[in-house]
Amino acid sequence: MQMQLLKERIQKDGLVEDGDILKVDSFLNHQIDISLLEEIGKEFNRQFEGKEVTKILTIEASGIAIACITARYFKVPVVFAKKTKTLNIAGEVYKASVESFTHKNTNTIIVSKKFLKPEDKVLIIDDFLANGKAIIGLSKLVEEAGATLVGAGVVIEKGFQPGGTRIREMGIDLHSLAIVESMDPANGVRFRED
Ligand code: 5GP
């Protein structure tokens, strides 16, 4: 189920840039509207109601604020995967490699083995879903830990890019609070019908 308040805010303050980038940095990932984030956190909590979640997992940087407020409603800790350029990190970390949609480079993402355990039931949260690389990388960390992936919640899915289909085909329970069907700099954003 999409979230009306969020869709209205995207229409009002979102900026469509060339290269299929939607800028929402006046309320979501540079300046942050905490009241909106509270509503987003509540909505994720409603959409995953009845699912046991022991940890919320996200990726730095822009996922962290969203994950933290969401975690208040689930009353569980947040773990964020760190991005690093070092490929051969020895020791006590789980790692996966993630190609960045916005920067076009590849990062190794890591999480300490201390913070993901086989008994964990993990909900992944992120700001955007484009090609699905971030969520697939995070789900690999969960798998490596032997933990259970409860599902993934994203604030904005760009439905015209392949990530959503990929993630759903993998059997991951994906909930997107706004799904952009199409967008362009001249006409702005159009959302998928519910
Ligand atoms: P994916 O891994 O699904 O290809 O891309 C998701 C990641 O790329 C998100 O974590 C987000 O930071 C970034 N991203 C993808 N598309 C957009 C976009 O249109 N706008 C912004 N601001 N970030 C995006």
Side-chain angles (χ1 to χ4, degrees):
M1 256 285 283
Q2 296 181 66
M3 189 180 154
Q4 192 57 31
L5 182 73
L6 171 68
K7 292 201 288 185
E8 284 166 10
R9 189 60 180 271
I10 295 168
Q11 291 284 18
K12 184 168 154 278
D13 292 330
L15 290 171
V16 181
E17 302 216 320
D18 288 333
D20 286 335
I21 298 278
L22 177 59
K23 275 199 105 168
V24 288
D25 58 0
S26 65
F27 61 95
L28 194 66
N29 53 23
H30 190 12
Q31 174 170 261
I32 301 174
D33 179 340
I34 298 300
S35 304
L36 178 68
L37 242 57
E38 281 175 346
E39 294 308 315
I40 286 171
K42 277 185 213 164
E43 188 57 33
F44 280 136
N45 192 238
R46 259 196 296 275
Q47 297 204 7
F48 289 96
E49 201 182 349
K51 303 273 171 74
E52 196 196 336
V53 173
T54 65
K55 230 153 244 192
I56 289 183
L57 178 66
T58 190
I59 182 167
E60 68 177 357
S62 47
I64 298 176
I66 300 160
C68 286
I69 294 195
T70 301
R72 293 204 54 177
Y73 297 96
F74 285 88
K75 299 188 168 54
V76 296
V78 170
V79 177
F80 66 90
K82 297 185 174 207
K83 293 173 183 166
T84 165
K85 296 265 178 293
T86 318
L87 286 172
N88 296 312
I89 296 162
E92 295 299 294
V93 294
Y94 299 116
K95 59 178 189 225
S97 121
V98 172
E99 196 185 308
S100 162
F101 182 87
T102 36
H103 301 105
K104 309 289 174 215
N105 59 346
T106 298
N107 288 299
T108 299
I109 60 165
I110 58 162
V111 161
S112 165
K113 289 182 180 172
K114 282 188 290 194
F115 304 131
L116 273 187
K117 299 286 183 192
E119 59 272 23
D120 275 320
K121 298 182 170 53
V122 180
L123 174 63
I124 292 173
I125 293 286
D126 204 7
D127 59 345
F128 273 92
L129 173 57
N131 291 330
K133 300 284 172 69
I135 291 181
I136 290 167
L138 291 169
S139 74
K140 283 192 182 137
L141 299 179
V142 175
E143 198 181 312
E144 256 200 80
T148 306
L149 181 59
V150 172
V154 299
V155 180
I156 304 170
E157 173 180 341
K158 289 186 290 176
F160 55 90
Q161 289 170 337
T165 305
R166 268 184 207 156
I167 304 289
R168 291 183 179 95
E169 279 175 2
M170 288 169 73
I172 295 173
D173 184 19
L174 171 66
H175 292 248
S176 303
L177 302 187
I179 304 181
V180 177
E181 191 61 57
S182 63
M183 62 183 205
D184 64 79
N187 302 303
V189 171
R190 206 165 54 80
F191 293 101
R192 186 173 291 176
E193 301 288 328
D194 266 322

